[in-house]
Amino acid sequence: MKSVKIIMIPVNDRQKAKEFYLKLGFQVLVEAPAAHGETWIQMGLPGSDTSISLASFSGIICETDDIEAKVKELKEKGIEVGKIDNTPWGRFAWLKDLDGNSLCLQQN
């Protein structure tokens, strides 16, 4: 993994949360339809490589250059990783830490 790309923050109302983060100085990077009729809202601070997503659950999305190699490496270390999902916005594979926190590998 080369960087933490997105930190997913669980919120009750994405639009109200968006307004709050705008007041803090965040900018909307992406606002687009997502699964199940929801809206993907990704925000970031000017000049920052890491962004936040206003979501229904928490998670950390880590960028990788070679998702297949990273999944194989983690499985060899005994870490359970889900299947690789191919989407129009990238390739993703989810896993959980020992306390059940969601982590995701992402390759563009």
Side-chain angles (χ1 to χ4, degrees):
M1 293 182 275
K2 66 181 193 176
S3 67
V4 171
K5 191 71 173 173
I6 304 169
I7 299 169
M8 298 173 67
I9 299 173
V11 299
N12 292 321
D13 184 316
R14 291 176 191 192
Q15 291 303 317
K16 285 182 181 177
K18 178 180 80 170
E19 294 305 317
F20 174 80
Y21 282 98
L22 286 170
K23 289 177 186 177
L24 290 178
F26 283 75
Q27 299 172 332
V28 174
L29 303 175
V30 178
E31 187 166 358
H36 310 293
E38 297 174 346
T39 301
W40 175 265
I41 300 176
Q42 186 175 339
M43 304 180 79
L45 291 169
S48 177
D49 291 334
T50 302
S51 60
I52 62 171
S53 169
L54 307 176
S56 58
F57 63 95
S58 64
I60 298 175
I61 300 175
C62 299
E63 188 176 24
T64 182
D65 289 328
D66 187 342
I67 197 165
E68 284 95 357
K70 183 51 75 176
V71 167
K72 181 180 180 205
E73 174 190 328
L74 294 174
K75 286 182 176 182
E76 287 171 353
K77 293 178 179 180
I79 298 171
E80 187 177 326
V81 182
K83 71 178 185 71
I84 298 171
D85 293 319
N86 296 304
T87 72
W89 47 88
R91 304 177 74 207
F92 300 86
W94 288 89
L95 60 132
K96 294 203 180 269
D97 71 9
L98 299 175
D99 294 303
N101 298 303
S102 295
L103 300 161
C104 182
L105 302 174
Q106 181 223 5
Q107 178 184 340
N108 284 333

